PDB file of all heavy atoms in Angstrom:
ATOM      1  N   ALA A   2      68.606 -95.772 -55.925  1.00  0.00           N
ATOM      2  CA  ALA A   2      67.759 -95.908 -54.736  1.00  0.00           C
ATOM      3  C   ALA A   2      68.442 -95.337 -53.504  1.00  0.00           C
ATOM      4  O   ALA A   2      67.787 -94.740 -52.629  1.00  0.00           O
ATOM      5  CB  ALA A   2      67.408 -97.381 -54.514  1.00  0.00           C
ATOM      6  N   SER A   3      69.755 -95.492 -53.416  1.00  0.00           N
ATOM      7  CA  SER A   3      70.500 -94.923 -52.289  1.00  0.00           C
ATOM      8  C   SER A   3      70.437 -93.407 -52.296  1.00  0.00           C
ATOM      9  O   SER A   3      70.264 -92.766 -51.248  1.00  0.00           O
ATOM     10  CB  SER A   3      71.962 -95.390 -52.343  1.00  0.00           C
ATOM     11  OG  SER A   3      72.068 -96.785 -52.194  1.00  0.00           O
ATOM     12  N   LEU A   4      70.584 -92.822 -53.475  1.00  0.00           N
ATOM     13  CA  LEU A   4      70.518 -91.365 -53.595  1.00  0.00           C
ATOM     14  C   LEU A   4      69.110 -90.858 -53.296  1.00  0.00           C
ATOM     15  O   LEU A   4      68.924 -89.837 -52.617  1.00  0.00           O
ATOM     16  CB  LEU A   4      70.942 -90.938 -54.999  1.00  0.00           C
ATOM     17  CG  LEU A   4      72.402 -91.210 -55.388  1.00  0.00           C
ATOM     18  CD1 LEU A   4      72.619 -90.923 -56.872  1.00  0.00           C
ATOM     19  CD2 LEU A   4      73.357 -90.377 -54.540  1.00  0.00           C
ATOM     20  N   ASP A   5      68.111 -91.577 -53.797  1.00  0.00           N
ATOM     21  CA  ASP A   5      66.721 -91.146 -53.604  1.00  0.00           C
ATOM     22  C   ASP A   5      66.312 -91.145 -52.135  1.00  0.00           C
ATOM     23  O   ASP A   5      65.532 -90.292 -51.695  1.00  0.00           O
ATOM     24  CB  ASP A   5      65.776 -92.063 -54.383  1.00  0.00           C
ATOM     25  CG  ASP A   5      65.889 -91.883 -55.885  1.00  0.00           C
ATOM     26  OD1 ASP A   5      66.469 -90.875 -56.319  1.00  0.00           O
ATOM     27  OD2 ASP A   5      65.409 -92.778 -56.625  1.00  0.00           O
ATOM     28  N   THR A   6      66.849 -92.111 -51.381  1.00  0.00           N
ATOM     29  CA  THR A   6      66.472 -92.242 -49.970  1.00  0.00           C
ATOM     30  C   THR A   6      67.460 -91.585 -49.020  1.00  0.00           C
ATOM     31  O   THR A   6      67.201 -91.497 -47.818  1.00  0.00           O
ATOM     32  CB  THR A   6      66.352 -93.729 -49.598  1.00  0.00           C
ATOM     33  OG1 THR A   6      67.615 -94.375 -49.801  1.00  0.00           O
ATOM     34  CG2 THR A   6      65.294 -94.423 -50.449  1.00  0.00           C
ATOM     35  N   GLY A   7      68.596 -91.138 -49.546  1.00  0.00           N
ATOM     36  CA  GLY A   7      69.626 -90.560 -48.691  1.00  0.00           C
ATOM     37  C   GLY A   7      70.380 -91.597 -47.877  1.00  0.00           C
ATOM     38  O   GLY A   7      71.074 -91.255 -46.911  1.00  0.00           O
ATOM     39  N   ALA A   8      70.295 -92.865 -48.295  1.00  0.00           N
ATOM     40  CA  ALA A   8      70.934 -93.943 -47.535  1.00  0.00           C
ATOM     41  C   ALA A   8      72.448 -93.853 -47.602  1.00  0.00           C
ATOM     42  O   ALA A   8      73.145 -94.035 -46.590  1.00  0.00           O
ATOM     43  CB  ALA A   8      70.463 -95.294 -48.065  1.00  0.00           C
ATOM     44  N   PHE A   9      72.992 -93.608 -48.791  1.00  0.00           N
ATOM     45  CA  PHE A   9      74.439 -93.472 -49.002  1.00  0.00           C
ATOM     46  C   PHE A   9      74.658 -92.377 -50.034  1.00  0.00           C
ATOM     47  O   PHE A   9      73.834 -92.185 -50.936  1.00  0.00           O
ATOM     48  CB  PHE A   9      75.066 -94.776 -49.519  1.00  0.00           C
ATOM     49  CG  PHE A   9      74.971 -95.940 -48.581  1.00  0.00           C
ATOM     50  CD1 PHE A   9      73.912 -96.834 -48.677  1.00  0.00           C
ATOM     51  CD2 PHE A   9      75.937 -96.141 -47.599  1.00  0.00           C
ATOM     52  CE1 PHE A   9      73.817 -97.919 -47.825  1.00  0.00           C
ATOM     53  CE2 PHE A   9      75.848 -97.220 -46.731  1.00  0.00           C
ATOM     54  CZ  PHE A   9      74.783 -98.109 -46.843  1.00  0.00           C
ATOM     55  N   ASP A  10      75.780 -91.694 -49.898  1.00  0.00           N
ATOM     56  CA  ASP A  10      76.116 -90.694 -50.914  1.00  0.00           C
ATOM     57  C   ASP A  10      77.517 -90.890 -51.471  1.00  0.00           C
ATOM     58  O   ASP A  10      77.947 -90.152 -52.364  1.00  0.00           O
ATOM     59  CB  ASP A  10      75.965 -89.272 -50.368  1.00  0.00           C
ATOM     60  CG  ASP A  10      76.831 -89.010 -49.143  1.00  0.00           C
ATOM     61  OD1 ASP A  10      77.698 -89.849 -48.811  1.00  0.00           O
ATOM     62  OD2 ASP A  10      76.627 -87.964 -48.500  1.00  0.00           O
ATOM     63  N   THR A  11      78.239 -91.888 -50.951  1.00  0.00           N
ATOM     64  CA  THR A  11      79.569 -92.213 -51.455  1.00  0.00           C
ATOM     65  C   THR A  11      79.587 -93.684 -51.842  1.00  0.00           C
ATOM     66  O   THR A  11      79.177 -94.545 -51.058  1.00  0.00           O
ATOM     67  CB  THR A  11      80.653 -91.949 -50.400  1.00  0.00           C
ATOM     68  OG1 THR A  11      80.613 -90.571 -50.027  1.00  0.00           O
ATOM     69  CG2 THR A  11      82.041 -92.280 -50.950  1.00  0.00           C
ATOM     70  N   PHE A  12      80.098 -93.966 -53.056  1.00  0.00           N
ATOM     71  CA  PHE A  12      80.058 -95.324 -53.583  1.00  0.00           C
ATOM     72  C   PHE A  12      81.447 -95.743 -54.066  1.00  0.00           C
ATOM     73  O   PHE A  12      82.136 -94.977 -54.751  1.00  0.00           O
ATOM     74  CB  PHE A  12      79.058 -95.407 -54.737  1.00  0.00           C
ATOM     75  CG  PHE A  12      77.696 -94.907 -54.356  1.00  0.00           C
ATOM     76  CD1 PHE A  12      77.331 -93.580 -54.600  1.00  0.00           C
ATOM     77  CD2 PHE A  12      76.789 -95.730 -53.708  1.00  0.00           C
ATOM     78  CE1 PHE A  12      76.084 -93.099 -54.235  1.00  0.00           C
ATOM     79  CE2 PHE A  12      75.534 -95.254 -53.330  1.00  0.00           C
ATOM     80  CZ  PHE A  12      75.182 -93.934 -53.590  1.00  0.00           C
ATOM     81  N   ALA A  13      81.832 -96.954 -53.690  1.00  0.00           N
ATOM     82  CA  ALA A  13      83.068 -97.565 -54.189  1.00  0.00           C
ATOM     83  C   ALA A  13      82.661 -98.573 -55.252  1.00  0.00           C
ATOM     84  O   ALA A  13      81.885 -99.495 -54.978  1.00  0.00           O
ATOM     85  CB  ALA A  13      83.825 -98.246 -53.052  1.00  0.00           C
ATOM     86  N   LEU A  14      83.163 -98.415 -56.464  1.00  0.00           N
ATOM     87  CA  LEU A  14      82.627 -99.125 -57.622  1.00  0.00           C
ATOM     88  C   LEU A  14      83.610-100.147 -58.185  1.00  0.00           C
ATOM     89  O   LEU A  14      84.802 -99.860 -58.345  1.00  0.00           O
ATOM     90  CB  LEU A  14      82.274 -98.117 -58.714  1.00  0.00           C
ATOM     91  CG  LEU A  14      81.393 -96.943 -58.277  1.00  0.00           C
ATOM     92  CD1 LEU A  14      81.195 -95.978 -59.440  1.00  0.00           C
ATOM     93  CD2 LEU A  14      80.048 -97.440 -57.753  1.00  0.00           C
ATOM     94  N   GLY A  15      83.085-101.334 -58.496  1.00  0.00           N
ATOM     95  CA  GLY A  15      83.865-102.335 -59.201  1.00  0.00           C
ATOM     96  C   GLY A  15      83.870-102.070 -60.688  1.00  0.00           C
ATOM     97  O   GLY A  15      83.206-101.155 -61.189  1.00  0.00           O
ATOM     98  N   ASP A  16      84.608-102.886 -61.437  1.00  0.00           N
ATOM     99  CA  ASP A  16      84.824-102.636 -62.857  1.00  0.00           C
ATOM    100  C   ASP A  16      83.544-102.649 -63.686  1.00  0.00           C
ATOM    101  O   ASP A  16      83.433-101.942 -64.683  1.00  0.00           O
ATOM    102  CB  ASP A  16      85.816-103.654 -63.429  1.00  0.00           C
ATOM    103  CG  ASP A  16      85.346-105.096 -63.221  1.00  0.00           C
ATOM    104  OD1 ASP A  16      85.078-105.467 -62.064  1.00  0.00           O
ATOM    105  OD2 ASP A  16      85.267-105.856 -64.197  1.00  0.00           O
ATOM    106  N   GLY A  17      82.541-103.443 -63.274  1.00  0.00           N
ATOM    107  CA  GLY A  17      81.294-103.500 -64.020  1.00  0.00           C
ATOM    108  C   GLY A  17      80.491-102.221 -63.972  1.00  0.00           C
ATOM    109  O   GLY A  17      79.531-102.056 -64.732  1.00  0.00           O
ATOM    110  N   MET A  18      80.872-101.301 -63.084  1.00  0.00           N
ATOM    111  CA  MET A  18      80.161-100.037 -62.940  1.00  0.00           C
ATOM    112  C   MET A  18      80.795 -98.905 -63.741  1.00  0.00           C
ATOM    113  O   MET A  18      80.259 -97.799 -63.785  1.00  0.00           O
ATOM    114  CB  MET A  18      80.109 -99.640 -61.457  1.00  0.00           C
ATOM    115  CG  MET A  18      79.369-100.620 -60.578  1.00  0.00           C
ATOM    116  SD  MET A  18      77.656-100.860 -61.089  1.00  0.00           S
ATOM    117  CE  MET A  18      77.020 -99.195 -60.889  1.00  0.00           C
ATOM    118  N   TYR A  19      81.937 -99.170 -64.363  1.00  0.00           N
ATOM    119  CA  TYR A  19      82.622 -98.108 -65.100  1.00  0.00           C
ATOM    120  C   TYR A  19      82.021 -97.993 -66.493  1.00  0.00           C
ATOM    121  O   TYR A  19      82.224 -98.861 -67.345  1.00  0.00           O
ATOM    122  CB  TYR A  19      84.123 -98.411 -65.204  1.00  0.00           C
ATOM    123  CG  TYR A  19      84.905 -97.310 -65.873  1.00  0.00           C
ATOM    124  CD1 TYR A  19      85.509 -96.317 -65.113  1.00  0.00           C
ATOM    125  CD2 TYR A  19      85.024 -97.240 -67.261  1.00  0.00           C
ATOM    126  CE1 TYR A  19      86.216 -95.291 -65.729  1.00  0.00           C
ATOM    127  CE2 TYR A  19      85.722 -96.224 -67.882  1.00  0.00           C
ATOM    128  CZ  TYR A  19      86.318 -95.252 -67.099  1.00  0.00           C
ATOM    129  OH  TYR A  19      87.013 -94.226 -67.715  1.00  0.00           O
ATOM    130  N   SER A  20      81.281 -96.923 -66.730  1.00  0.00           N
ATOM    131  CA  SER A  20      80.738 -96.693 -68.073  1.00  0.00           C
ATOM    132  C   SER A  20      80.304 -95.244 -68.219  1.00  0.00           C
ATOM    133  O   SER A  20      79.895 -94.595 -67.248  1.00  0.00           O
ATOM    134  CB  SER A  20      79.547 -97.618 -68.354  1.00  0.00           C
ATOM    135  OG  SER A  20      78.368 -97.140 -67.752  1.00  0.00           O
ATOM    136  N   ASP A  21      80.382 -94.760 -69.444  1.00  0.00           N
ATOM    137  CA  ASP A  21      79.914 -93.401 -69.732  1.00  0.00           C
ATOM    138  C   ASP A  21      78.411 -93.294 -69.497  1.00  0.00           C
ATOM    139  O   ASP A  21      77.898 -92.230 -69.150  1.00  0.00           O
ATOM    140  CB  ASP A  21      80.242 -93.033 -71.179  1.00  0.00           C
ATOM    141  CG  ASP A  21      81.733 -92.851 -71.411  1.00  0.00           C
ATOM    142  OD1 ASP A  21      82.464 -92.599 -70.431  1.00  0.00           O
ATOM    143  OD2 ASP A  21      82.172 -92.985 -72.569  1.00  0.00           O
ATOM    144  N   ALA A  22      77.698 -94.415 -69.686  1.00  0.00           N
ATOM    145  CA  ALA A  22      76.245 -94.397 -69.487  1.00  0.00           C
ATOM    146  C   ALA A  22      75.890 -94.093 -68.035  1.00  0.00           C
ATOM    147  O   ALA A  22      74.893 -93.408 -67.763  1.00  0.00           O
ATOM    148  CB  ALA A  22      75.649 -95.744 -69.905  1.00  0.00           C
ATOM    149  N   LEU A  23      76.699 -94.595 -67.098  1.00  0.00           N
ATOM    150  CA  LEU A  23      76.439 -94.316 -65.687  1.00  0.00           C
ATOM    151  C   LEU A  23      76.572 -92.821 -65.410  1.00  0.00           C
ATOM    152  O   LEU A  23      75.740 -92.233 -64.708  1.00  0.00           O
ATOM    153  CB  LEU A  23      77.411 -95.101 -64.804  1.00  0.00           C
ATOM    154  CG  LEU A  23      77.182 -94.975 -63.299  1.00  0.00           C
ATOM    155  CD1 LEU A  23      75.931 -95.730 -62.884  1.00  0.00           C
ATOM    156  CD2 LEU A  23      78.393 -95.512 -62.522  1.00  0.00           C
ATOM    157  N   LEU A  24      77.599 -92.207 -65.967  1.00  0.00           N
ATOM    158  CA  LEU A  24      77.779 -90.768 -65.776  1.00  0.00           C
ATOM    159  C   LEU A  24      76.663 -89.986 -66.456  1.00  0.00           C
ATOM    160  O   LEU A  24      76.190 -88.975 -65.931  1.00  0.00           O
ATOM    161  CB  LEU A  24      79.132 -90.332 -66.332  1.00  0.00           C
ATOM    162  CG  LEU A  24      80.380 -90.888 -65.639  1.00  0.00           C
ATOM    163  CD1 LEU A  24      81.625 -90.251 -66.234  1.00  0.00           C
ATOM    164  CD2 LEU A  24      80.327 -90.647 -64.137  1.00  0.00           C
ATOM    165  N   ALA A  25      76.254 -90.451 -67.632  1.00  0.00           N
ATOM    166  CA  ALA A  25      75.170 -89.763 -68.343  1.00  0.00           C
ATOM    167  C   ALA A  25      73.876 -89.794 -67.533  1.00  0.00           C
ATOM    168  O   ALA A  25      73.111 -88.826 -67.527  1.00  0.00           O
ATOM    169  CB  ALA A  25      74.957 -90.403 -69.708  1.00  0.00           C
ATOM    170  N   ASP A  26      73.652 -90.900 -66.813  1.00  0.00           N
ATOM    171  CA  ASP A  26      72.401 -91.044 -66.057  1.00  0.00           C
ATOM    172  C   ASP A  26      72.460 -90.365 -64.690  1.00  0.00           C
ATOM    173  O   ASP A  26      71.466 -89.794 -64.236  1.00  0.00           O
ATOM    174  CB  ASP A  26      72.085 -92.525 -65.857  1.00  0.00           C
ATOM    175  CG  ASP A  26      71.673 -93.204 -67.151  1.00  0.00           C
ATOM    176  OD1 ASP A  26      71.279 -92.488 -68.090  1.00  0.00           O
ATOM    177  OD2 ASP A  26      71.751 -94.443 -67.225  1.00  0.00           O
ATOM    178  N   LEU A  27      73.626 -90.419 -64.038  1.00  0.00           N
ATOM    179  CA  LEU A  27      73.708 -89.933 -62.652  1.00  0.00           C
ATOM    180  C   LEU A  27      74.582 -88.694 -62.486  1.00  0.00           C
ATOM    181  O   LEU A  27      74.435 -87.957 -61.515  1.00  0.00           O
ATOM    182  CB  LEU A  27      74.215 -91.057 -61.740  1.00  0.00           C
ATOM    183  CG  LEU A  27      73.349 -92.322 -61.704  1.00  0.00           C
ATOM    184  CD1 LEU A  27      73.965 -93.363 -60.782  1.00  0.00           C
ATOM    185  CD2 LEU A  27      71.929 -91.995 -61.257  1.00  0.00           C
ATOM    186  N   GLY A  28      75.501 -88.490 -63.399  1.00  0.00           N
ATOM    187  CA  GLY A  28      76.302 -87.272 -63.429  1.00  0.00           C
ATOM    188  C   GLY A  28      76.940 -86.890 -62.111  1.00  0.00           C
ATOM    189  O   GLY A  28      77.492 -87.713 -61.390  1.00  0.00           O
ATOM    190  N   SER A  29      76.821 -85.611 -61.780  1.00  0.00           N
ATOM    191  CA  SER A  29      77.490 -85.084 -60.592  1.00  0.00           C
ATOM    192  C   SER A  29      76.858 -85.562 -59.291  1.00  0.00           C
ATOM    193  O   SER A  29      77.401 -85.313 -58.211  1.00  0.00           O
ATOM    194  CB  SER A  29      77.499 -83.555 -60.631  1.00  0.00           C
ATOM    195  OG  SER A  29      76.180 -83.048 -60.703  1.00  0.00           O
ATOM    196  N   ASP A  30      75.737 -86.282 -59.375  1.00  0.00           N
ATOM    197  CA  ASP A  30      75.130 -86.823 -58.154  1.00  0.00           C
ATOM    198  C   ASP A  30      76.049 -87.819 -57.461  1.00  0.00           C
ATOM    199  O   ASP A  30      75.896 -88.079 -56.262  1.00  0.00           O
ATOM    200  CB  ASP A  30      73.797 -87.523 -58.475  1.00  0.00           C
ATOM    201  CG  ASP A  30      72.700 -86.536 -58.837  1.00  0.00           C
ATOM    202  OD1 ASP A  30      72.871 -85.334 -58.554  1.00  0.00           O
ATOM    203  OD2 ASP A  30      71.672 -86.963 -59.396  1.00  0.00           O
ATOM    204  N   ILE A  31      76.971 -88.398 -58.215  1.00  0.00           N
ATOM    205  CA  ILE A  31      77.890 -89.373 -57.606  1.00  0.00           C
ATOM    206  C   ILE A  31      79.316 -88.838 -57.542  1.00  0.00           C
ATOM    207  O   ILE A  31      80.274 -89.608 -57.434  1.00  0.00           O
ATOM    208  CB  ILE A  31      77.840 -90.725 -58.340  1.00  0.00           C
ATOM    209  CG1 ILE A  31      78.034 -90.553 -59.847  1.00  0.00           C
ATOM    210  CG2 ILE A  31      76.529 -91.445 -58.047  1.00  0.00           C
ATOM    211  CD1 ILE A  31      78.123 -91.892 -60.593  1.00  0.00           C
ATOM    212  N   ASP A  32      79.464 -87.513 -57.611  1.00  0.00           N
ATOM    213  CA  ASP A  32      80.782 -86.917 -57.395  1.00  0.00           C
ATOM    214  C   ASP A  32      81.342 -87.367 -56.040  1.00  0.00           C
ATOM    215  O   ASP A  32      80.601 -87.446 -55.051  1.00  0.00           O
ATOM    216  CB  ASP A  32      80.688 -85.391 -57.415  1.00  0.00           C
ATOM    217  CG  ASP A  32      80.732 -84.828 -58.824  1.00  0.00           C
ATOM    218  OD1 ASP A  32      80.853 -85.616 -59.785  1.00  0.00           O
ATOM    219  OD2 ASP A  32      80.629 -83.593 -58.975  1.00  0.00           O
ATOM    220  N   GLY A  33      82.630 -87.640 -56.014  1.00  0.00           N
ATOM    221  CA  GLY A  33      83.276 -88.097 -54.793  1.00  0.00           C
ATOM    222  C   GLY A  33      83.319 -89.605 -54.680  1.00  0.00           C
ATOM    223  O   GLY A  33      84.043 -90.151 -53.847  1.00  0.00           O
ATOM    224  N   SER A  34      82.546 -90.293 -55.520  1.00  0.00           N
ATOM    225  CA  SER A  34      82.633 -91.750 -55.565  1.00  0.00           C
ATOM    226  C   SER A  34      83.881 -92.143 -56.349  1.00  0.00           C
ATOM    227  O   SER A  34      84.484 -91.329 -57.047  1.00  0.00           O
ATOM    228  CB  SER A  34      81.370 -92.336 -56.199  1.00  0.00           C
ATOM    229  OG  SER A  34      80.244 -92.051 -55.389  1.00  0.00           O
ATOM    230  N   PHE A  35      84.251 -93.395 -56.274  1.00  0.00           N
ATOM    231  CA  PHE A  35      85.544 -93.826 -56.832  1.00  0.00           C
ATOM    232  C   PHE A  35      85.474 -95.319 -57.120  1.00  0.00           C
ATOM    233  O   PHE A  35      84.520 -96.004 -56.737  1.00  0.00           O
ATOM    234  CB  PHE A  35      86.673 -93.514 -55.846  1.00  0.00           C
ATOM    235  CG  PHE A  35      86.417 -94.073 -54.467  1.00  0.00           C
ATOM    236  CD1 PHE A  35      86.860 -95.338 -54.111  1.00  0.00           C
ATOM    237  CD2 PHE A  35      85.692 -93.337 -53.528  1.00  0.00           C
ATOM    238  CE1 PHE A  35      86.596 -95.862 -52.851  1.00  0.00           C
ATOM    239  CE2 PHE A  35      85.430 -93.850 -52.260  1.00  0.00           C
ATOM    240  CZ  PHE A  35      85.886 -95.114 -51.917  1.00  0.00           C
ATOM    241  N   GLY A  36      86.509 -95.825 -57.800  1.00  0.00           N
ATOM    242  CA  GLY A  36      86.488 -97.246 -58.089  1.00  0.00           C
ATOM    243  C   GLY A  36      87.733 -97.727 -58.791  1.00  0.00           C
ATOM    244  O   GLY A  36      88.720 -96.995 -58.945  1.00  0.00           O
ATOM    245  N   SER A  37      87.668 -98.984 -59.222  1.00  0.00           N
ATOM    246  CA  SER A  37      88.783 -99.623 -59.914  1.00  0.00           C
ATOM    247  C   SER A  37      88.275-100.278 -61.189  1.00  0.00           C
ATOM    248  O   SER A  37      87.133-100.735 -61.254  1.00  0.00           O
ATOM    249  CB  SER A  37      89.425-100.687 -59.011  1.00  0.00           C
ATOM    250  OG  SER A  37      88.475-101.665 -58.610  1.00  0.00           O
ATOM    251  N   VAL A  38      89.121-100.319 -62.204  1.00  0.00           N
ATOM    252  CA  VAL A  38      88.783-100.966 -63.460  1.00  0.00           C
ATOM    253  C   VAL A  38      90.090-101.402 -64.115  1.00  0.00           C
ATOM    254  O   VAL A  38      91.088-100.670 -64.077  1.00  0.00           O
ATOM    255  CB  VAL A  38      87.994-100.005 -64.389  1.00  0.00           C
ATOM    256  CG1 VAL A  38      88.801 -98.760 -64.739  1.00  0.00           C
ATOM    257  CG2 VAL A  38      87.505-100.726 -65.638  1.00  0.00           C
ATOM    258  N   PRO A  39      90.161-102.618 -64.679  1.00  0.00           N
ATOM    259  CA  PRO A  39      91.378-103.015 -65.390  1.00  0.00           C
ATOM    260  C   PRO A  39      91.716-101.987 -66.460  1.00  0.00           C
ATOM    261  O   PRO A  39      90.857-101.564 -67.225  1.00  0.00           O
ATOM    262  CB  PRO A  39      90.993-104.362 -66.007  1.00  0.00           C
ATOM    263  CG  PRO A  39      89.976-104.920 -65.065  1.00  0.00           C
ATOM    264  CD  PRO A  39      89.166-103.714 -64.635  1.00  0.00           C
ATOM    265  N   TRP A  40      92.958-101.601 -66.514  1.00  0.00           N
ATOM    266  CA  TRP A  40      93.388-100.525 -67.414  1.00  0.00           C
ATOM    267  C   TRP A  40      94.861-100.705 -67.683  1.00  0.00           C
ATOM    268  O   TRP A  40      95.511-101.582 -67.115  1.00  0.00           O
ATOM    269  CB  TRP A  40      93.120 -99.170 -66.753  1.00  0.00           C
ATOM    270  CG  TRP A  40      92.780 -98.044 -67.683  1.00  0.00           C
ATOM    271  CD1 TRP A  40      93.629 -97.135 -68.234  1.00  0.00           C
ATOM    272  CD2 TRP A  40      91.469 -97.698 -68.149  1.00  0.00           C
ATOM    273  NE1 TRP A  40      92.932 -96.250 -69.009  1.00  0.00           N
ATOM    274  CE2 TRP A  40      91.607 -96.572 -68.980  1.00  0.00           C
ATOM    275  CE3 TRP A  40      90.201 -98.226 -67.949  1.00  0.00           C
ATOM    276  CZ2 TRP A  40      90.524 -95.968 -69.607  1.00  0.00           C
ATOM    277  CZ3 TRP A  40      89.124 -97.630 -68.566  1.00  0.00           C
ATOM    278  CH2 TRP A  40      89.294 -96.518 -69.389  1.00  0.00           C
ATOM    279  N   ALA A  41      95.403 -99.873 -68.513  1.00  0.00           N
ATOM    280  CA  ALA A  41      96.833 -99.915 -68.791  1.00  0.00           C
ATOM    281  C   ALA A  41      97.321 -98.518 -69.089  1.00  0.00           C
ATOM    282  O   ALA A  41      96.558 -97.644 -69.506  1.00  0.00           O
ATOM    283  CB  ALA A  41      97.119-100.836 -69.981  1.00  0.00           C
ATOM    284  N   GLU A  42      98.596 -98.312 -68.859  1.00  0.00           N
ATOM    285  CA  GLU A  42      99.245 -97.055 -69.225  1.00  0.00           C
ATOM    286  C   GLU A  42     100.549 -97.386 -69.923  1.00  0.00           C
ATOM    287  O   GLU A  42     101.024 -98.527 -69.897  1.00  0.00           O
ATOM    288  CB  GLU A  42      99.493 -96.200 -67.981  1.00  0.00           C
ATOM    289  CG  GLU A  42     100.378 -96.850 -66.947  1.00  0.00           C
ATOM    290  CD  GLU A  42     100.648 -95.953 -65.749  1.00  0.00           C
ATOM    291  OE1 GLU A  42     100.448 -94.735 -65.875  1.00  0.00           O
ATOM    292  OE2 GLU A  42     101.078 -96.477 -64.714  1.00  0.00           O
TER     293      GLU A  42
END
């Protein structure tokens, strides 16, 4: 809805937003957005 209305174009995402499905649905439309997710190295 933010993209459709031009309300926001940059998004800071919590861990619940990290998924391949999100990229499959929105792709490069959310380039430049960023976030955090529990991970390990």
Side-chain angles (χ1 to χ4, degrees):
S3 297
L4 295 172
D5 290 345
T6 61
F9 297 93
D10 58 10
T11 301
F12 306 94
L14 309 176
D16 57 305
M18 298 301 299
Y19 184 93
S20 79
D21 290 338
L23 184 72
L24 295 185
D26 290 340
L27 300 179
S29 58
D30 288 344
I31 52 175
D32 276 359
S34 296
F35 53 91
S37 58
V38 61
W40 212 267
E42 60 178 342

